[in-house]
Amino acid sequence: WGKPLRDVIRTCIGCRGKFSQKTLIRFVGQKHKTLQIDNQKKLPGRAAYVCPSQLCIQKAFKSPRRINSLLRVQLTSVVIERFEEVLLEWTEKSASTTGKKEELP
């Protein structure tokens, strides 16, 4: 009789909507001054979630100070802008490959 598995709900930092963790992109601020996408949702550290939509990603990354504050890291705006570009490219690619689920880099 195990306990029924509950769906984990997380908030998108772009639109602030609440969604199933499975549908959001999780990323973690790493100590060595980078941001990393966490496909498996298992990387250690403070993480944030964003919808896999261009608009949400652009909203979420509008302020580098906010990203640093949310993840409690001190990253340069260059690192944060580059990570935003990677996310935007990925969502563009995965939107164009309809029906095929692609893994994040």
Side-chain angles (χ1 to χ4, degrees):
W1 289 100
K3 290 182 184 175
L5 292 174
R6 280 198 342 240
D7 204 14
V8 179
I9 303 297
R10 295 287 181 253
T11 301
C12 168
I13 63 168
C15 66
R16 294 199 168 85
K18 297 196 183 305
F19 303 98
S20 167
Q21 182 180 7
K22 294 175 196 137
T23 63
L24 299 172
I25 300 169
R26 179 182 196 258
F27 60 95
V28 180
Q30 299 290 315
K31 283 184 179 136
H32 50 278
K33 305 290 185 210
T34 62
L35 288 170
Q36 189 174 350
I37 296 170
D38 183 11
N39 276 336
Q40 315 302 307
K41 303 194 180 3
K42 289 182 180 173
L43 284 177
R46 191 152 172 92
Y49 293 83
V50 68
C51 292
S53 84
Q54 304 265 319
L55 190 64
C56 279
I57 292 167
Q58 287 164 348
K59 274 188 194 174
F61 286 86
K62 201 164 39 176
S63 165
R65 284 178 65 195
R66 184 164 172 255
I67 296 295
N68 279 326
S69 169
L70 286 167
L71 297 175
R72 297 180 185 157
V73 290
Q74 288 301 302
L75 301 172
T76 64
S77 50
V78 173
V79 167
I80 292 170
E81 286 163 18
R82 179 64 197 122
F83 187 73
E84 177 187 8
E85 288 168 21
V86 168
L87 281 178
L88 290 169
E89 284 170 24
W90 181 82
T91 55
E92 214 171 271
K93 263 192 264 173
S94 63
S96 64
T97 58
T98 50
K100 272 176 73 179
K101 192 174 181 187
E102 221 176 298
E103 282 292 305
L104 288 167

